[in-house]
């Protein structure tokens, strides 16, 4: 019997995940991964993979390189063995990997994860890495910087060889020597520089013979002039080899001294690469971490088979172990029954290996002690086993192994023999496994198993949906509904003659035909219910969208209202400042008028100033009321009757009353008498007042006029202003009006009675007096005048 890993194709999943590793050690770990039945271990492994995925998504995958396994090399170095330059370069590659992982983790701001302990084991050895990088150029060459002695020896060698070549070049190019040479080139024999001399001239060139050409026509002679130089070079080369040997011993000793740490760092880097490879594989599947338990409950939501094209795979929902311990999956051939079986088993095995699985949030996986599967055709010609026999042997092994912590997956249970006997045997096997406490999924075409699932409390039917209109499977798994085999429909689609199909249908028993009809009606009702549920979901989503849009509009209106209030507040602030500036300008004009009172045109200028002041005050009033505007403006107003001489009217835009001075003519203008001033005003600006209201307004004006006169007379008589009990700003305002009146009345000295109290009113009054240009000086009252309770002001 094949192992469940082979049956469920877990090995193919491991091969796909191994493609995300960067080194052979991590790849070997991935391929050797086995499902664990230890709940704590499975949770810990899944947590590490999930943390690796979260880190990779937030900070990018760590930079893993293809470092080699250096454990054997460093162990040999620790025992005193000499390593090759290739071995030392592999150690340097590992140290660079450690350095890059340490740097990457240093930039991660993630809170504590289950991988922290692995990163804590990574301690860069910058000194050893620097020594190796400085000392080794390639697999064949030690760098000059490996030691000062080696650098000095190589400099001497370079000078000696250069000097020797110059000497030989001179000899080769001399006319006396050229006739003896076979060719004008310098060659090496046994590491010594020699000249190619013609055999017949061997006696003409003094030196040591090192070699003869294969033809015998050329002999290679080392001239006596360079023998000593060649000896020096050979001596330097010998010293170079000795120094290289010393450097290699030193490097190997340094690596051997760090052997335990290097082995640990290699294992740690490989393990980190293993978990991040799992994370990247999970990202390619859009996999998530399921809820993991060992209570035998499995609930898969939108599960996809990991070996299928994830863009085309149809997600399935599956539940087992909580309400129902057995699931009977029915449906047409090629409808997805076996894929559903393998999906449940493979995702369980992947979770037990520490992988994330392609499901949606809310899925649950149980850890089982055994996963037992009999899927596919196990017919064996060599063992003379039929399909039924091979399936039966597999089931026997399953029955011997199964217990209460087992997931059993059986494909086409009881097939390959008489349908009646096969169905009875299948029901008996299911009952036996249920008694053991196993959780099982079974695929079948037998009607008896469909009825058995419908009548047994802890067994549930499931079907792979088939689109009878399109005559093709949809691969959706429908829980709670038995499926039709649709053999007649599929055969007809494939070209089976209609007469044969009709005859086959007539051979079906009435009971089976009635059962198939019930299933068909049930399936139609289910589809209708699903459509209604989808429509309800659509309407609910639409209502939710409308609610969100309404909420967004309400928030937008509130924001606009707040912004408008802020703009209005800013505009009001600007209006206040503008009004204040214009008020100060009016005060300055009054001060200037007081100074110019002796000039001849003073009266005319006062009249002009009054007119300008009136216009400015009206402008200030309009600016101070930008929203409300003039209270009397009404573009829809129509005179109730034609105007006559003597009518009382209101000038709407000036908010002033007047009397029609002359009968209106044919034009749109009329003369209006306002006090001593007569103005020509457009009729559309006038509002007719009734006589009663005009008389009331006249009485109020007369009363205000009498009050003002009496106040002026009182103030002029006493030249005092009593503002006791006023607030600071009110008192200052009254004081300014009083002094303006005094200036116009040509009064030289006035007294401001503010009282003692807290002294704040006195301080505000005197501070404002310092700023007024019409004030010459002021002082506190003397004994008998009121002392600190009054301020005596002298005007200019």
């Amino acid at each position: 019997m094949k192992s469940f890993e082979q049956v469920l194709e877990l090995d193919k999943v491991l091969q796909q995940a191994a493609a995300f590793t960067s080194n052979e050690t991590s790849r070997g770990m991935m391929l050797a991964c086995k499902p664990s039945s230890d709940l704590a271990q499975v949770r810990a492994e899944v947590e590490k993979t999930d943390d690796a995925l979260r880190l990779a998504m937030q900070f990018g995958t760590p930079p893993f390189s293809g470092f080699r396994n250096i454990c054997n090399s460093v162990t040999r170095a620790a025992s005193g063995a000499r390593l090759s330059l290739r071995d030392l370069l592999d150690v340097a590659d590992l140290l660079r990997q450690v350095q890059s992982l340490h740097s990457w983790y240093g930039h991660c701001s993630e809170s504590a994860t289950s991988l922290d302990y692995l990163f804590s084991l990574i301690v860069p050895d910058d000194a050893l890495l620097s020594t190796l990088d400085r000392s080794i150029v390639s697999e064949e060459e030690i760098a000059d910087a490996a030691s000062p002695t080696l650098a000095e020896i190589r400099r001497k060698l370079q000078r000696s060889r250069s000097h020797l070549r110059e000497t030989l070049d001179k000899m080769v190019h001399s006319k006396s020597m050229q006739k003896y040479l076979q060719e004008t080139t310098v060659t090496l024999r046994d590491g010594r520089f020699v000249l190619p001399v013609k055999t017949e001239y061997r006696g003409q060139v003094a030196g040591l013979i090192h070699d003869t050409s294969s033809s015998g026509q050329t002999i290679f002679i080392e001239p006596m002039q360079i023998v000593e130089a060649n000896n020096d070079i050979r001596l330097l080369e010998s010293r170079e080899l000795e120094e290289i040997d010393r450097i290699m011993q030193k490097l190997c000793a340094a690596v051997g001294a760090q052997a335990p740490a290097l082995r640990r760092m290699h294992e740690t880097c490989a393990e980190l690469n293993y978990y991040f490879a799992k994370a990247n594989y999970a990202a390619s599947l859009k996999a998530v971490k399921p809820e993991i338990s060992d209570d035998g409950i499995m609930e898969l939501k939108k599960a996809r088979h990991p070996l299928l094209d994830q863009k085309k795979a149809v997600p399935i929902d599956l539940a087992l172990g909580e309400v129902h311990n057995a699931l009977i999956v029915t449906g047409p051939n090629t409808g997805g029954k076996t894929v559903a079986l393998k999906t449940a088993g493979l995702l369980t095995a992947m979770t037990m290996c520490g992988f994330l699985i392609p499901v949606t949030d809310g899925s649950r996986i149980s850890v089982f002690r055994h996963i037992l599967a009999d899927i596919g055709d196990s017919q064996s010609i060599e063992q003379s086993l039929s399909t039924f026999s091979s399936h039966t042997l597999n089931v026997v092994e399953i029955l011997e192994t199964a217990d209460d912590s087992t997931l059993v997956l059986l494909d086409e249970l009881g097939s390959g023999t008489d349908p009646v006997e096969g169905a009875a045997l299948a029901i008996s096997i299911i009952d036996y496994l249920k008694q053991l406490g196993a959780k099982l999924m079974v695929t079948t075409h037998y009607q008896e198993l469909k009825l058995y699932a419908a009548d047994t409390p802890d067994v549930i039917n499931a079907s792979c949906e088939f689109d009878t209109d399109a005559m093709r499977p949809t691969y959706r798994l429908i829980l709670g509904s038995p499926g039709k085999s649709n053999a007649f429909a599929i055969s007809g689609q494939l070209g089976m003659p209609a007469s044969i199909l009709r005859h086959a249908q007539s051979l079906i028993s009435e009971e089976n035909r009635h059962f198939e009809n019930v299933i068909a009606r049930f399936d139609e009702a289910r589809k209708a219910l699903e459509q209604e549920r989808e429509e309800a979901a659509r309407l609910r989503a639409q209502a939710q969208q409308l609610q969100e849009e309404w909420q967004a509009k309400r928030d937008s209106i509130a924001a606009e209202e707040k912004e408008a209030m802020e703009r209005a507040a800013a505009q009001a602030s600007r209006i206040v400042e503008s009004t204040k500036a214009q008020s100060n300008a009016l005060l300055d004009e009054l001060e200037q008028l007081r100074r110019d009172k002796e000039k001849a045109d003073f009266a005319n200028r006062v009249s002009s100033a009054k007119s300008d002041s009136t216009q400015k005050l009206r402008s200030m009033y309009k600016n101070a009321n930008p929203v409300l505007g003039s209270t009397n403006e009404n573009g829809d107003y129509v005179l109730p009757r034609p105007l006559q001489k003597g009518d009382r009217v209101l000038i709407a835009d000036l908010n002033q009353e007047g009397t029609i001075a002359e009968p209106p003519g044919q034009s749109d203008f009329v003369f209006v008498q306002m006090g001593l001033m007569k103005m020509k005003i457009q009729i559309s600006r006038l509002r007719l007042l009734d006589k009663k209201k005009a008389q009331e307004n006249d009485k109020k004006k007369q009363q205000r006029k009498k009050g003002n006169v009496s106040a002026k007379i009182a103030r002029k008589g006493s030249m005092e202003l009593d503002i006791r009990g006023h607030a600071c700003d009110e008192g200052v305002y009254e004081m300014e009006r009083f002094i303006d009146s005094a200036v116009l009345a040509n009064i030289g000295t006035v007294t401001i009675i503010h009282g003692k109290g807290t002294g704040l009113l006195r301080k505000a009054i005197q501070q404002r007096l310092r700023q007024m240009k019409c004030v010459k000086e002021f002082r506190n009252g003397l004994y008998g005048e009121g002392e600190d309770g009054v301020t005596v002001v002298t005007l200019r």
Side-chain angles (χ1 to χ4, degrees):
M1 180 179 177
K2 292 182 180 179
S3 66
F4 77 90
E5 292 95 337
Q6 293 174 311
V7 174
L8 298 176
E9 299 179 299
L10 178 63
D11 54 333
K12 293 183 179 180
V13 169
L14 297 179
Q15 289 174 3
Q16 287 185 349
F20 289 89
T21 60
S22 66
N23 62 90
E24 288 302 319
T25 305
S26 301
R27 177 178 174 81
M29 292 172 64
M30 190 71 74
L31 295 176
C33 183
K34 297 291 182 184
S36 171
S37 58
D38 187 329
L39 177 62
Q41 181 181 355
V42 171
R43 283 177 172 172
E45 289 296 296
V46 172
E47 185 69 22
K48 291 175 186 176
T49 304
D50 190 52
D51 284 344
L53 178 60
R54 189 167 63 253
L55 287 171
M57 292 179 67
Q58 189 169 357
F59 305 104
T61 302
F64 287 104
S65 62
F67 58 88
R68 298 185 182 183
N69 191 339
I70 50 88
C71 294
N72 292 334
S73 299
V74 299
T75 301
R76 288 190 291 108
S79 63
R82 177 167 173 171
L83 305 181
S84 66
L85 287 175
R86 178 68 265 172
D87 294 334
L88 294 175
L89 286 173
D90 290 343
V91 173
D93 288 342
L94 175 65
L95 291 173
R96 273 189 288 273
Q97 175 68 83
V98 169
Q99 199 175 59
S100 62
L101 285 176
H102 181 77
S103 175
W104 179 87
Y105 187 66
H107 290 87
C108 294
S109 57
E110 180 74 9
S111 57
T113 68
S114 57
L115 298 176
D116 289 347
Y117 81 97
L118 288 174
F119 282 105
S120 67
L121 298 177
I122 293 182
V123 182
D125 192 339
D126 295 336
L128 180 57
L129 177 60
S130 177
T131 300
L132 293 173
D133 284 342
R134 184 178 65 249
S135 302
I136 304 173
V137 176
S138 65
E139 296 183 25
E140 294 84 20
E141 184 180 358
I142 289 288
D144 294 350
S147 74
T149 302
L150 181 61
E152 181 61 26
I153 291 173
R154 286 181 172 175
R155 279 195 296 270
K156 290 181 179 179
L157 266 173
Q158 186 178 5
R159 287 198 299 268
S160 298
R161 286 170 180 162
S162 177
H163 179 69
L164 183 57
R165 280 191 169 276
E166 289 176 1
T167 302
L168 288 172
D169 285 342
K170 290 180 181 179
M171 294 177 65
V172 167
H173 292 93
S174 67
K175 293 183 180 181
S176 60
M177 181 63 71
Q178 283 185 355
K179 61 182 179 179
Y180 304 134
L181 300 179
Q182 190 72 32
E183 53 188 34
T184 58
T185 58
V186 178
T187 60
L188 279 172
R189 286 295 185 273
D190 298 328
R192 302 177 75 87
F193 289 96
V194 295
L195 296 176
V197 180
K198 297 176 182 178
T199 304
E200 61 268 25
Y201 296 115
R202 61 182 300 175
Q204 303 301 320
V205 180
L208 303 176
I209 298 175
H210 285 274
D211 199 3
T212 304
S213 67
S214 58
S215 63
Q217 308 217 354
T218 304
I219 58 175
F220 297 96
I221 299 176
E222 179 184 2
M224 295 304 295
Q225 298 95 314
I226 64 170
V227 170
E228 189 64 28
N230 266 329
N231 289 339
D232 292 341
I233 291 174
R234 293 301 294 272
L235 180 61
L236 288 170
E237 289 174 345
S238 176
R239 288 180 58 195
E240 180 187 22
L241 291 176
E242 291 175 358
E243 181 62 17
I244 289 174
D245 187 65
R246 187 191 68 80
I247 292 170
M248 288 294 293
Q249 289 180 357
K250 183 179 178 181
L251 293 176
C252 292
V255 170
Q258 299 298 323
L262 290 171
R263 283 195 298 268
R264 183 178 66 251
M265 285 189 285
H266 171 267
E267 294 169 358
T268 303
C269 290
E271 192 171 356
L272 283 171
N273 184 228
Y274 166 74
Y275 288 119
F276 277 97
K278 280 185 172 182
N280 288 333
Y281 180 57
S284 70
L285 296 176
K286 297 181 180 178
V288 300
K289 181 179 75 171
E291 181 183 341
I292 305 171
S293 65
D294 59 356
D295 54 7
I297 297 176
M298 177 194 305
E299 184 178 3
L300 302 180
K301 297 181 179 180
K302 304 297 181 183
R304 305 179 305 278
H305 195 289
L307 298 180
L308 297 177
D309 185 347
Q310 296 300 296
K311 295 180 180 178
K312 298 180 180 179
V314 178
I316 63 172
D317 294 333
L318 189 149
L320 183 67
E322 187 170 15
V323 179
H324 308 286
N325 292 324
L327 188 64
I328 307 298
V329 184
T330 55
N333 291 322
T334 70
K337 299 189 303 297
T338 304
V339 173
L341 211 65
K342 287 187 174 182
T343 299
L346 184 55
L347 296 189
T348 301
M350 287 176 63
T351 304
M352 293 167 66
C353 287
F355 284 91
L356 306 183
I357 57 176
V359 294
T360 57
D361 292 334
S363 297
R364 298 174 62 184
I365 287 288
S366 176
V367 173
F368 294 97
R369 190 178 299 115
H370 307 290
I371 299 178
L372 305 175
D374 177 41
I375 300 174
D377 189 359
S378 302
Q379 186 178 24
S380 174
I381 298 176
E382 292 82 0
Q383 299 179 10
S384 300
L385 294 176
S386 66
T387 299
F388 178 76
S389 299
S390 61
H391 277 301
T392 301
L393 287 177
N394 292 340
V395 171
V396 169
E397 289 188 39
I398 289 173
L399 295 175
E400 292 174 350
T401 308
D403 57 17
D404 60 351
S405 181
T406 302
L407 175 64
V408 180
L409 307 171
L410 299 174
D411 190 23
E412 300 294 349
L413 180 61
S415 63
T417 186
D418 179 75
V420 176
E421 294 180 355
L425 184 60
I427 292 173
S428 180
I429 292 171
I430 294 172
D431 282 338
Y432 181 80
L433 290 171
K434 282 170 50 189
Q435 290 174 7
L436 294 176
K439 307 297 183 292
L440 65 152
M441 289 181 61
V442 178
T443 66
T444 186
H445 286 282
Y446 291 150
Q447 298 280 21
E448 291 82 357
L449 289 181
K450 299 177 187 178
L451 291 170
Y452 167 77
D455 294 336
T456 308
D458 60 344
V459 181
I460 185 173
N461 272 307
S463 62
C464 290
E465 189 179 50
F466 187 83
D467 189 345
T468 54
D469 295 330
M471 297 305 298
R472 60 181 178 83
T474 65
Y475 303 106
R476 290 180 58 212
L477 187 67
I478 309 300
L479 292 178
S481 170
K484 296 177 62 178
S485 297
N486 291 296
F488 294 153
I490 295 174
S491 299
Q493 187 72 17
L494 295 176
M496 185 69 69
S499 59
I500 295 178
L501 295 177
R502 285 194 299 272
H503 181 63
Q505 289 174 346
S506 67
L507 297 176
I508 298 177
S509 66
E510 184 64 28
E511 183 180 349
N512 286 339
R513 189 180 297 111
H514 177 69
F515 182 73
E516 289 289 335
N517 291 335
V518 170
I519 292 177
R521 288 196 298 271
F522 180 82
D523 192 53
E524 290 175 1
R526 177 189 57 78
K527 290 181 179 178
L529 181 62
E530 285 187 352
Q531 290 177 356
E532 292 179 2
R533 185 171 59 186
E534 290 175 358
E535 179 66 16
R538 185 187 67 79
L539 293 175
R540 185 167 56 250
Q542 184 178 0
Q544 179 68 24
Q545 182 181 359
L546 291 174
Q547 182 180 1
E548 292 175 355
E549 291 177 356
W550 175 81
Q551 183 68 33
K553 288 182 179 178
R554 190 178 70 173
D555 294 343
S556 176
I557 291 172
E560 291 177 359
E561 182 180 356
K562 181 179 178 182
E563 184 179 353
M565 291 296 292
E566 291 175 352
R567 288 198 303 267
Q571 184 180 5
S573 178
R574 290 194 298 269
I575 291 172
V576 168
E577 294 298 325
S578 174
T579 305
K580 184 177 179 181
Q582 294 182 40
S583 299
N584 291 334
L586 285 173
L587 293 174
D588 291 341
E589 289 182 10
L590 290 172
E591 176 64 17
Q592 186 64 35
L593 285 171
R594 190 192 66 79
R595 293 178 180 177
D596 297 342
K597 63 184 179 180
E598 301 297 333
K599 294 183 178 179
D601 59 345
F602 178 69
N604 294 332
R605 295 183 64 182
V606 168
S607 177
S608 176
K610 283 184 178 180
S611 178
D612 291 342
S613 298
T614 301
Q615 293 293 334
K616 289 180 179 179
L617 286 171
R618 289 169 182 164
S619 175
M620 289 164 60
Y621 178 79
K622 289 182 179 181
N623 287 338
N625 294 274
V627 178
L628 299 177
S630 176
T631 57
N632 295 308
E633 288 185 8
N634 186 355
D636 298 332
Y637 179 80
V638 178
L639 288 170
R641 60 176 176 80
L643 296 175
Q644 300 175 2
K645 183 178 179 180
D647 285 340
R648 294 288 290 172
V649 293
L650 175 70
I651 305 172
D653 53 348
L654 299 180
N655 199 24
Q656 296 289 327
E657 293 183 12
T659 304
I660 302 298
E662 298 179 5
Q666 298 299 323
S667 67
D668 294 334
F669 292 87
V670 67
F671 285 98
V672 179
Q673 186 75 38
M674 293 184 295
L676 300 177
M677 183 172 57
K678 184 188 292 185
M679 296 179 63
K680 188 176 182 181
I681 299 176
Q682 194 173 12
I683 295 177
S684 60
R685 295 169 57 190
L686 302 179
R687 307 289 183 264
L688 183 63
L689 297 177
D690 56 23
K691 294 184 178 180
K692 183 177 180 181
K693 185 175 181 181
Q695 291 173 358
E696 291 177 355
N697 290 340
D698 290 341
K699 289 181 180 179
K700 291 180 181 179
K701 289 182 179 180
Q702 292 295 330
Q703 291 174 358
R704 286 198 298 268
K705 187 175 181 181
K706 290 180 179 179
N708 291 338
V709 171
S710 61
K712 287 180 181 179
I713 294 172
R715 289 176 182 173
K716 186 173 181 180
S718 62
M719 294 181 290
E720 293 180 351
L721 173 66
D722 189 350
I723 56 174
R724 286 176 294 183
H726 284 64
C728 291
D729 53 349
E730 294 176 350
V732 170
Y733 176 72
E734 291 293 333
M735 181 268 294
E736 290 175 344
R737 291 181 59 194
F738 177 70
I739 289 181
D740 288 342
S741 300
V743 170
L744 292 175
N746 200 21
I747 298 173
T749 304
V750 296
T751 301
I752 311 297
I753 304 173
H754 44 68
K756 297 181 179 180
T758 60
L760 293 177
L761 182 57
R762 181 184 72 249
K763 184 177 180 181
I765 290 295
Q766 294 184 355
Q767 183 177 356
R768 176 61 184 137
L769 289 171
R770 292 189 185 94
Q771 301 169 353
M772 297 180 70
K773 298 179 180 179
C774 60
V775 176
K776 182 177 182 181
E777 62 180 1
F778 63 88
R779 61 178 174 79
N780 290 334
L782 301 176
Y783 180 77
E785 290 181 326
E787 302 180 6
D788 293 342
V790 301
T791 298
V792 180
V793 183
T794 302
L795 302 176
R796 296 182 186 276

